[in-house]
Amino acid sequence: MKQTENIVVGISIGDLNGIGGEIVLKTFEDARILDFCTPVIFASIKVMSFFKTHFKSEINFHSIKDMGQVVPGKVNVLNCWNEPVKIEFGKEDTKIGAFAIKSLEAATTALKEETIDVLVTAPINKSNIQSEDFKFPGHTDYLAQELKGDSLMFMVNDTLRVGLFTDHVPVKDVATRITPELIEKKIATVYESLQKDFKIQKPKIAILGINPHTGDNGVIGSEDDTVLRPTLQKIKESGKLVYGPYAADSFFGSNNYKNFDAIIASYHDQGLIPFKTLSFGQGVNFTAGLNKVRTSPDHGTAYEIAGKGVADENSFKEAVYSAMKIFKNRSEHDELTANPLKKASRNERR
């Protein structure tokens, strides 16, 4: 099994007019992090040097042309393009969006080829990345196509984990998207991730209702009674510890979330508003269910403060640490489950 200090962390640079470059610089200015990982930034040395000068950073980069030149103990920059880039902080620009996709695609290729171990993505602008060749609402949907598994947006910190039945879906379409098949698949993904990625052997999962007050016995919608409850009952009978549906309006304010290892919300804002309220700046967006590890900070491009040197890097730093921890947990899980005799011999020696 690969040791934590050898983990190669690939970083897609995101929207160059946002705060991505700044939070990447601030994260790796603390050289102690290089004791635990080898970072590879997918961008260009010219762009990263521009950020270094603009933000008066003392960070040192190691410029490389291919992954065979990566040096441990250095902040490596893989040159994904050579052309000059006009950076205008705070401006939405389709040309800048194209560079964000170049970075993401190169980093994803490295992830698939296993020349990096994990991927941490800096924020993108979901509008300016759209093109004839790239028609995805965000990182998660693109990575779901490129990697193996069933992807799920999983917002995590040390004490709170929130998954979603539907993510980047218009509110008007939420109820029709939540089917018994989807419910079973998403709960299975969360359950497996809690076991493999977070080392929780018997997870307890809470499910939030689709409608206000979980429908009030059909007065405010019937989906909780006709779709959600019967499916949860079926899953409970299989032995999984799933509970709900709970009325979302009081679930977090009552601190009930503290009784569970994870919560699954029906739609994006139902889950992300309380998560970001409780942990903004410390939370991490983890794409669970895929065969590779990808994390990102819990915020966007923050155009309004881009270039001003005031961006908080803590969420991005947490994303780096979380990616390494999940990679280690998953590696240990895979080793033990792949070799049950080794596990048995360990138990015998205790």
Side-chain angles (χ1 to χ4, degrees):
M1 184 188 69
K2 191 166 190 175
Q3 297 301 311
T4 304
E5 60 267 23
N6 295 325
I7 293 175
V8 182
V9 179
I11 297 155
S12 61
I13 197 60
D15 192 302
L16 299 172
N17 284 348
I19 63 170
E22 180 183 350
I23 59 177
V24 170
L25 281 182
K26 287 180 174 178
T27 295
F28 292 105
E29 279 174 348
D30 184 348
R32 292 175 296 181
I33 199 171
L34 300 179
D35 294 334
F36 303 100
C37 71
T38 298
V40 180
I41 303 168
F42 290 79
S44 78
I45 193 64
K46 291 180 181 179
V47 161
M48 296 311 298
S49 296
F50 168 83
F51 286 140
K52 176 179 177 177
T53 301
H54 180 86
F55 294 110
K56 297 180 174 59
S57 172
E58 296 183 1
I59 196 169
N60 292 314
F61 296 118
H62 175 62
S63 177
I64 61 175
K65 295 180 180 179
D66 60 67
M67 293 300 296
Q69 297 176 325
V70 171
V71 175
K74 301 287 187 181
V75 180
N76 299 271
V77 177
L78 180 72
N79 287 280
C80 300
W81 60 81
N82 294 314
E83 59 264 45
V85 180
K86 184 179 180 181
I87 296 174
E88 298 178 87
F89 291 115
K91 180 181 178 181
E92 183 174 326
D93 185 342
T94 55
K95 292 180 180 179
I96 291 296
F99 286 114
I101 296 309
K102 282 186 179 182
S103 172
L104 175 62
E105 290 176 340
T108 303
T109 296
L111 189 64
K112 291 160 68 174
E113 294 176 349
E114 299 186 344
T115 52
I116 61 173
D117 298 309
V118 299
L119 172 61
V120 182
T121 58
I124 55 174
N125 179 318
K126 293 179 176 61
S127 176
N128 71 14
I129 60 171
Q130 303 303 317
S131 69
E132 286 300 315
D133 299 322
F134 193 94
K135 297 180 180 179
F136 299 92
H139 287 115
T140 303
D141 305 86
Y142 170 73
L143 292 170
Q145 173 186 279
E146 294 297 311
L147 304 175
K148 296 177 181 178
D150 294 316
S151 67
L152 176 134
M153 183 186 293
F154 208 10
M155 306 299 294
V156 302
N157 68 16
D158 287 339
T159 59
L160 178 62
R161 304 176 190 91
V162 177
L164 305 172
F165 284 140
T166 63
D167 42 50
H168 297 129
V169 173
V171 173
K172 66 181 177 63
D173 298 333
V174 166
T176 57
R177 294 284 187 96
I178 299 177
T179 63
E181 294 76 19
L182 179 74
I183 294 166
E184 290 185 33
K185 183 172 76 170
K186 295 296 186 181
I187 289 177
T189 299
V190 169
Y191 195 88
E192 182 180 8
S193 179
L194 290 171
Q195 290 184 319
K196 284 200 329 184
D197 302 327
F198 298 94
K199 304 178 77 169
I200 301 170
Q201 294 306 309
K202 195 67 175 176
K204 291 174 61 179
I205 303 172
I207 312 298
L208 302 185
I210 300 170
N211 296 296
H213 306 288
T214 64
D216 266 347
N217 296 317
V219 175
I220 318 176
S222 62
E223 292 85 359
D224 291 279
D225 292 329
T226 61
V227 178
L228 195 48
R229 283 191 172 91
T231 308
L232 294 184
Q233 183 58 39
K234 177 183 175 182
I235 295 170
K236 288 178 187 176
E237 291 170 0
S238 74
K240 289 185 173 70
L241 301 179
V242 294
Y243 302 86
Y246 292 98
D249 61 346
S250 59
F251 183 81
F252 291 92
S254 65
N255 287 328
N256 196 11
Y257 71 91
K258 295 180 180 179
N259 297 316
F260 299 94
D261 299 304
I263 300 97
I264 303 180
S266 289
Y267 56 94
H268 186 279
D269 285 9
Q270 187 191 60
L272 267 64
I273 288 174
F275 179 85
K276 291 188 178 184
T277 300
L278 291 167
S279 62
F280 195 77
Q282 302 297 323
V284 172
N285 180 359
F286 164 48
T287 306
L290 297 178
N291 65 325
K292 302 294 183 183
V293 177
R294 174 261 172 167
T295 62
S296 71
D298 65 358
H299 57 74
T301 56
Y303 283 152
E304 67 278 6
I305 61 169
K308 297 179 180 178
V310 297
D312 187 334
E313 76 278 14
N314 282 322
S315 182
F316 187 86
K317 186 179 290 186
E318 286 298 323
V320 173
Y321 284 127
S322 293
M324 291 191 291
K325 185 174 182 180
I326 291 168
F327 179 84
K328 182 180 179 183
N329 288 346
R330 189 177 289 189
S331 298
E332 290 178 351
H333 179 275
D334 290 347
E335 181 189 32
L336 292 175
T337 54
N339 193 345
L341 293 177
K342 187 173 183 178
K343 182 177 181 181
S345 65
R346 283 184 181 179
N347 291 335
E348 289 171 3
R349 291 197 299 268
R350 290 176 181 172

